[in-house]
Coordinates of all heavy atoms in Angstrom, one line a residue:
P1 N 3.3 8.7 -16.5 CA 2.1 8.6 -15.7 C 2.0 9.6 -14.6 O 3.0 10.0 -14.1 CB 2.1 7.1 -15.2 CG 3.6 6.8 -15.1 CD 4.2 7.5 -16.3
E2 N 0.8 9.9 -14.2 CA 0.6 10.8 -13.1 C 0.4 10.0 -11.8 O -0.7 9.7 -11.4 CB -0.6 11.8 -13.3 CG -0.4 12.7 -14.5 CD -1.5 13.7 -14.7 OE1 -2.4 13.7 -13.8 OE2 -1.5 14.4 -15.7
A3 N 1.5 9.5 -11.3 CA 1.5 8.6 -10.2 C 1.0 9.2 -8.9 O 1.4 10.4 -8.6 CB 2.9 8.0 -10.0
A4 N 0.2 8.5 -8.2 CA -0.3 9.0 -6.9 C -0.4 7.8 -5.9 O -0.7 6.7 -6.3 CB -1.7 9.7 -7.0
A5 N -0.2 8.1 -4.6 CA -0.2 7.1 -3.6 C -0.8 7.7 -2.3 O -0.6 8.8 -2.0 CB 1.2 6.5 -3.3
S6 N -1.6 6.8 -1.6 CA -2.1 7.3 -0.3 C -2.3 6.1 0.6 O -2.1 4.9 0.2 CB -3.5 8.0 -0.5 OG -4.4 7.1 -1.1
V7 N -2.5 6.3 1.9 CA -2.7 5.2 2.9 C -3.5 5.7 4.0 O -3.7 6.9 4.3 CB -1.3 4.8 3.4 CG1 -0.6 6.0 4.2 CG2 -1.3 3.5 4.2
N8 N -4.1 4.8 4.8 CA -5.0 5.1 5.9 C -4.2 5.2 7.2 O -4.4 4.5 8.2 CB -6.0 4.0 6.1 CG -5.4 2.6 6.4 OD1 -4.3 2.3 5.8 ND2 -6.1 1.8 7.2
S9 N -3.2 6.1 7.2 CA -2.3 6.3 8.3 C -2.8 7.5 9.1 O -3.3 8.5 8.6 CB -0.9 6.5 7.8 OG 0.0 6.8 8.9
P10 N -2.6 7.4 10.5 CA -1.9 6.4 11.3 C -2.8 5.2 11.6 O -4.1 5.4 11.5 CB -1.5 7.1 12.5 CG -2.6 8.1 12.7 CD -2.9 8.6 11.3
V11 N -2.2 4.1 11.9 CA -3.0 2.9 12.3 C -2.4 2.4 13.6 O -1.3 2.8 14.0 CB -2.9 1.8 11.2 CG1 -3.6 2.2 10.0 CG2 -1.5 1.3 11.0
C12 N -3.1 1.5 14.3 CA -2.6 0.9 15.5 C -2.0 -0.5 15.2 O -2.3 -1.1 14.2 CB -3.7 0.8 16.5 SG -4.3 2.4 17.1
I13 N -1.2 -1.0 16.2 CA -0.7 -2.3 16.0 C -1.9 -3.3 15.8 O -2.9 -3.2 16.5 CB 0.1 -2.7 17.3 CG1 1.5 -2.0 17.3 CG2 0.3 -4.2 17.4 CD1 2.3 -2.2 18.5
N14 N -1.6 -4.3 14.9 CA -2.6 -5.3 14.6 C -3.7 -4.9 13.7 O -4.5 -5.7 13.3 CB -3.2 -6.0 15.9 CG -2.1 -6.8 16.6 OD1 -1.2 -7.4 16.0 ND2 -2.2 -6.8 17.9
E15 N -3.8 -3.6 13.4 CA -4.8 -3.1 12.4 C -4.2 -3.4 11.0 O -3.1 -3.9 10.8 CB -5.1 -1.7 12.6 CG -5.9 -1.4 13.9 CD -6.3 0.1 14.0 OE1 -5.8 0.9 13.3 OE2 -7.3 0.3 14.8
T16 N -5.0 -3.0 10.0 CA -4.7 -3.3 8.6 C -4.2 -2.0 7.9 O -4.9 -1.0 8.0 CB -5.8 -3.9 7.8 OG1 -6.2 -5.2 8.4 CG2 -5.5 -4.1 6.4
I17 N -3.1 -2.0 7.3 CA -2.6 -0.9 6.5 C -3.2 -1.1 5.0 O -3.0 -2.1 4.4 CB -1.1 -0.9 6.4 CG1 -0.5 -0.8 7.8 CG2 -0.6 0.2 5.5 CD1 1.0 -1.0 7.8
N18 N -3.9 -0.1 4.6 CA -4.5 -0.1 3.2 C -3.8 0.9 2.3 O -3.9 2.1 2.5 CB -6.0 0.2 3.3 CG -6.7 -0.9 4.1 OD1 -6.5 -2.1 3.8 ND2 -7.6 -0.4 5.0
L19 N -3.0 0.4 1.4 CA -2.3 1.3 0.4 C -3.1 1.4 -0.8 O -3.7 0.5 -1.3 CB -0.9 0.7 0.1 CG 0.1 0.6 1.3 CD1 1.2 -0.4 0.9 CD2 0.6 1.9 1.6
T20 N -3.1 2.6 -1.4 CA -3.8 2.8 -2.7 C -3.0 3.6 -3.6 O -2.2 4.4 -3.2 CB -5.2 3.6 -2.5 OG1 -4.9 4.9 -1.9 CG2 -6.1 2.8 -1.6
A21 N -3.1 3.3 -4.9 CA -2.3 4.0 -6.0 C -3.2 4.2 -7.2 O -4.2 3.5 -7.4 CB -1.1 3.2 -6.4
S22 N -2.8 5.1 -8.0 CA -3.5 5.4 -9.3 C -2.6 6.0 -10.3 O -1.4 6.4 -10.0 CB -4.7 6.4 -9.0 OG -4.2 7.6 -8.5
G23 N -3.0 6.1 -11.6 CA -2.3 6.8 -12.6 C -1.7 5.9 -13.7 O -1.1 6.4 -14.6
G24 N -1.9 4.5 -13.6 CA -1.2 3.7 -14.6 C -2.0 2.4 -14.9 O -3.2 2.3 -14.5
V25 N -1.3 1.5 -15.5 CA -1.9 0.2 -15.8 C -1.3 -0.9 -15.0 O -1.8 -2.1 -15.0 CB -1.9 -0.1 -17.3 CG1 -2.7 0.9 -18.1 CG2 -0.4 -0.1 -17.8
S26 N -0.1 -0.7 -14.4 CA 0.6 -1.7 -13.6 C 1.3 -1.0 -12.5 O 1.7 0.2 -12.6 CB 1.5 -2.6 -14.4 OG 2.6 -1.9 -14.9
Y27 N 1.5 -1.7 -11.3 CA 2.0 -1.1 -10.1 C 3.0 -2.0 -9.5 O 2.9 -3.3 -9.5 CB 0.9 -0.8 -9.2 CG -0.2 0.1 -9.8 CD1 -1.2 -0.4 -10.6 CD2 -0.1 1.5 -9.6 CE1 -2.1 0.4 -11.2 CE2 -1.1 2.3 -10.2 CZ -2.1 1.8 -11.0 OH -3.0 2.6 -11.5
S28 N 4.0 -1.4 -8.8 CA 5.0 -2.2 -8.1 C 5.4 -1.4 -6.8 O 6.0 -0.3 -6.9 CB 6.3 -2.5 -8.9 OG 7.2 -3.2 -8.2
W29 N 5.0 -2.0 -5.6 CA 5.2 -1.4 -4.3 C 6.4 -1.9 -3.6 O 6.7 -3.1 -3.7 CB 4.0 -1.6 -3.4 CG 2.8 -0.9 -3.7 CD1 1.7 -1.3 -4.5 CD2 2.4 0.4 -3.2 NE1 0.7 -0.3 -4.5 CE2 1.1 0.7 -3.7 CE3 3.0 1.3 -2.3 CZ2 0.4 1.9 -3.4 CZ3 2.3 2.5 -2.0 CH2 1.1 2.8 -2.5
T30 N 7.1 -1.1 -2.9 CA 8.2 -1.5 -2.0 C 8.0 -0.7 -0.7 O 7.5 0.4 -0.7 CB 9.6 -1.3 -2.5 OG1 9.8 0.1 -2.8 CG2 9.8 -2.2 -3.8
G31 N 8.5 -1.3 0.4 CA 8.3 -0.5 1.7 C 9.1 -1.2 2.8 O 9.9 -2.1 2.6
P32 N 8.9 -0.7 4.0 CA 9.6 -1.2 5.2 C 9.3 -2.6 5.4 O 8.3 -3.2 5.0 CB 9.1 -0.3 6.3 CG 8.5 0.9 5.7 CD 8.0 0.5 4.3
D33 N 10.2 -3.3 6.2 CA 10.0 -4.7 6.6 C 10.0 -5.6 5.4 O 9.2 -6.6 5.4 CB 8.8 -4.8 7.5 CG 8.9 -6.0 8.5 OD1 10.0 -6.3 8.9 OD2 7.8 -6.5 8.9
S34 N 10.8 -5.2 4.4 CA 10.9 -6.0 3.1 C 9.6 -6.2 2.4 O 9.3 -7.2 1.7 CB 11.5 -7.4 3.4 OG 12.7 -7.3 4.0
F35 N 8.7 -5.2 2.5 CA 7.4 -5.3 1.8 C 7.5 -5.1 0.3 O 8.3 -4.2 -0.1 CB 6.4 -4.2 2.4 CG 5.1 -4.2 1.6 CD1 4.2 -5.1 1.8 CD2 4.9 -3.1 0.7 CE1 3.0 -5.0 1.1 CE2 3.7 -3.1 0.0 CZ 2.8 -4.0 0.2
S36 N 6.8 -5.9 -0.4 CA 6.7 -5.7 -1.9 C 5.3 -6.2 -2.4 O 4.8 -7.2 -1.8 CB 7.8 -6.3 -2.7 OG 7.8 -7.7 -2.5
S37 N 4.8 -5.6 -3.4 CA 3.5 -6.1 -4.0 C 3.4 -5.5 -5.4 O 3.9 -4.4 -5.7 CB 2.4 -5.6 -3.1 OG 1.1 -5.9 -3.7
T38 N 2.7 -6.3 -6.2 CA 2.4 -5.8 -7.6 C 0.9 -5.5 -7.7 O 0.4 -5.3 -8.8 CB 2.8 -6.8 -8.6 OG1 2.2 -8.1 -8.4 CG2 4.3 -7.0 -8.7
L39 N 0.2 -5.5 -6.6 CA -1.2 -5.1 -6.6 C -1.3 -3.6 -6.6 O -0.5 -2.8 -6.1 CB -1.9 -5.6 -5.3 CG -2.0 -7.1 -5.2 CD1 -2.7 -7.4 -3.8 CD2 -2.8 -7.7 -6.3
Q40 N -2.4 -3.1 -7.2 CA -2.6 -1.6 -7.3 C -2.9 -1.1 -5.9 O -2.3 -0.1 -5.5 CB -3.8 -1.3 -8.2 CG -4.1 0.2 -8.3 CD -5.2 0.6 -9.2 OE1 -5.7 -0.3 -9.9 NE2 -5.5 1.9 -9.3
N41 N -3.7 -1.8 -5.1 CA -4.2 -1.4 -3.8 C -4.0 -2.5 -2.8 O -4.9 -3.1 -2.3 CB -5.6 -0.9 -3.8 CG -5.9 0.2 -4.8 OD1 -5.1 1.1 -4.9 ND2 -6.9 0.0 -5.6
P42 N -2.7 -2.8 -2.4 CA -2.5 -3.9 -1.4 C -2.9 -3.5 0.0 O -2.9 -2.3 0.4 CB -1.0 -4.1 -1.5 CG -0.4 -2.8 -1.9 CD -1.5 -2.1 -2.8
S43 N -3.2 -4.5 0.8 CA -3.5 -4.4 2.2 C -2.5 -5.2 3.0 O -2.1 -6.3 2.6 CB -4.9 -4.8 2.5 OG -5.8 -3.9 1.9
I44 N -2.1 -4.7 4.2 CA -1.1 -5.4 5.0 C -1.8 -5.6 6.4 O -2.0 -4.6 7.2 CB 0.2 -4.7 5.2 CG1 0.7 -4.2 3.9 CG2 1.2 -5.5 6.0 CD1 1.9 -3.3 3.9
A45 N -2.2 -6.8 6.7 CA -2.9 -7.1 8.0 C -1.9 -7.3 9.1 O -0.7 -7.6 8.9 CB -3.7 -8.4 7.8
G46 N -2.3 -7.1 10.3 CA -1.5 -7.3 11.5 C -0.3 -6.3 11.6 O 0.8 -6.7 11.7
A47 N -0.6 -5.0 11.5 CA 0.4 -4.0 11.5 C 1.3 -4.1 12.7 O 0.8 -4.3 13.8 CB -0.2 -2.6 11.3

């Protein structure tokens, strides 16, 4: 797949982080602070 990822960075504390991905039919995210998600475009409130 032609995997791509982007985010609305930078953000301020308490704002929402919006992650976006493309290129496939299923997605698996990992990140800081033990973050994980199987959504294509997950959001993390309360940054």
Side-chain angles (χ1 to χ4, degrees):
E2 296 183 6
S6 60
V7 67
N8 62 324
S9 179
V11 297
C12 294
I13 285 178
N14 294 323
E15 290 185 342
T16 298
I17 300 170
N18 295 314
L19 298 162
T20 59
S22 62
V25 296
S26 67
Y27 302 84
S28 178
W29 286 92
T30 59
D33 210 24
S34 301
F35 173 77
S36 65
S37 174
T38 55
L39 296 176
Q40 179 177 356
N41 303 314
S43 294
I44 310 171

